[in-house]
Amino acid sequence: MDILKNFNVTKYEGNLVNGIKITLFYRPGAPITTTAILRSGSKYDSYESPGISHFIEHMIMNGSPEFPSKDLLSEHIESVGGSYSASTNQDFLFVNTEISDKEDYGRVGDIFNATLCRPLLDKEKFENEKQIVINEIRKSNSNPNQILNNTAIQLFFKNTPFGHEVMGNEQGISKLGYDEMITEHKKLFDKSRITFVASGDISLEEITSHLNKLIFLEGNTFTEINKELEPTNANDILATFLDTPHSYICFGVPAPNLLSKEYLHLNLLGS
């Protein structure tokens, strides 16, 4: 039984000419969202460059040769009632777009061209962007809940790539060099890491006709190596001092995979 049909949604799958996979959830009459999902989250950061995936996410939003500023790029899609954004988590880096009318889908292609294929990565903006990210880190490090979250991640995933903080740390970002950023960008934005997921009132053929015009980075083919993490049985405790009158505590136990049925049951039990 296809539960999607209950919501008037039809799923289609296809590929661009270069092999990049596309999944479309066709929804008649709905706005069109398209997300580029890159397997380039913080768990792929090297230990020498913590936070570099998140930093590059900032850099790709600064424009392209066709739209040489963040404001011009934003205006290009916002002028037709659309929007775009980017984010990074432990697993993925996302570039998100939304428009109301498929007649404007060419502008979605322009956004992906500017962010995925031809970002400026301007050397003059590099140092300024470092300071913006450092200020983000400092703000995060003054938030008790965020400190608790980071401390818990360090404890639960110690000595594994999942222990990397998404934003990295102030020292790592301060030491980051421009040439190192360029090298990592070529690796993290290779077409082999990209998948597109779309939803709304547009056909798969209409999407591919636009995205096939783009020239993606290639030459750093990515192969995912799935390693099972062995949970520790030690009753470890990790604490971070913060000058506040309150105490914040997080408990954690080894649990099934995030995508397993058991996770849904545990989530309900926790609620």
Side-chain angles (χ1 to χ4, degrees):
M1 176 179 168
D2 186 356
I3 194 171
L4 293 176
K5 291 183 178 179
N6 295 336
F7 300 93
N8 198 24
V9 175
T10 306
K11 180 181 177 181
Y12 298 96
E13 294 183 321
N15 296 84
L16 299 183
V17 291
N18 59 15
I20 293 178
K21 182 179 178 181
I22 303 178
T23 299
L24 167 67
F25 296 92
Y26 175 66
R27 301 169 60 211
I32 302 161
T33 62
T34 311
T35 296
I37 304 174
L38 290 79
R39 289 176 291 174
S40 304
S42 62
K43 75 177 184 181
Y44 301 104
D45 293 348
S46 68
Y47 286 96
E48 296 76 25
S49 305
I52 194 165
S53 297
H54 172 257
F55 180 81
I56 294 174
E57 173 221 310
H58 275 245
M59 288 294 295
I60 65 170
M61 303 293 278
N62 282 321
S64 67
E66 294 78 13
F67 304 96
S69 75
K70 186 181 296 185
D71 290 341
L72 288 173
L73 187 58
S74 297
E75 181 183 356
H76 183 60
I77 194 166
E78 290 173 359
S79 63
V80 294
S83 63
Y84 81 108
S85 62
S87 61
T88 307
N89 63 23
Q90 287 177 309
D91 292 285
F92 303 109
L93 189 155
F94 303 90
V95 179
N96 314 293
T97 66
E98 181 172 353
I99 57 168
S100 300
D101 191 331
K102 66 181 180 181
E103 297 302 318
D104 298 316
Y105 200 81
R107 302 198 183 210
V108 172
D110 293 337
I111 293 296
F112 288 133
N113 187 53
T115 53
L116 302 180
C117 305
R118 288 168 52 81
L120 281 178
L121 303 181
D122 193 343
K123 196 168 187 177
E124 293 183 3
K125 294 180 180 178
F126 175 71
E127 291 298 331
N128 181 60
E129 208 63 52
K130 283 171 66 173
Q131 193 56 53
I132 290 173
V133 172
I134 287 171
N135 289 338
E136 264 190 49
I137 293 171
R138 289 174 178 171
K139 183 178 180 180
S140 174
N141 288 342
S142 65
N143 182 319
N145 288 312
Q146 190 60 52
I147 292 173
L148 179 66
N149 180 66
N150 291 341
T151 303
I153 288 174
Q154 290 175 35
L155 177 62
F156 301 153
F157 301 113
K158 58 185 176 182
N159 302 321
T160 75
F162 287 98
H164 297 174
E165 292 184 21
V166 173
M167 287 191 289
N169 55 62
E170 186 172 339
Q171 181 182 14
I173 297 300
S174 297
K175 290 167 53 181
L176 180 63
Y178 180 78
D179 291 341
E180 179 186 2
M181 186 268 294
I182 293 295
T183 299
E184 286 297 304
H185 171 258
K186 291 177 181 177
K187 182 179 75 174
L188 294 172
F189 279 71
D190 189 90
K191 68 181 181 65
S192 58
R193 293 177 181 258
I194 302 173
T195 299
F196 286 100
V197 177
S199 171
D201 192 357
I202 190 171
S203 71
L204 191 62
E205 292 72 21
E206 288 169 316
I207 293 175
T208 56
S209 69
H210 286 284
L211 298 186
N212 273 330
K213 299 174 184 177
L214 308 185
I215 301 175
F216 295 87
L217 296 177
E218 55 183 311
N220 289 277
T221 303
F222 172 73
T223 302
E224 183 76 87
I225 300 175
N226 292 312
K227 293 183 178 180
E228 290 292 329
L229 296 180
E230 290 293 331
T232 176
N233 291 321
N235 296 319
D236 290 341
I237 297 175
L238 184 64
T240 300
F241 175 76
L242 181 65
D243 189 10
T244 174
H246 303 290
S247 296
Y248 298 81
I249 301 173
C250 176
F251 298 96
V253 296
N257 184 286
L258 183 65
L259 301 179
S260 67
K261 293 181 179 179
E262 290 84 357
Y263 175 80
L264 297 176
H265 301 152
L266 286 171
N267 199 36
L268 179 61
L269 180 63
S271 300

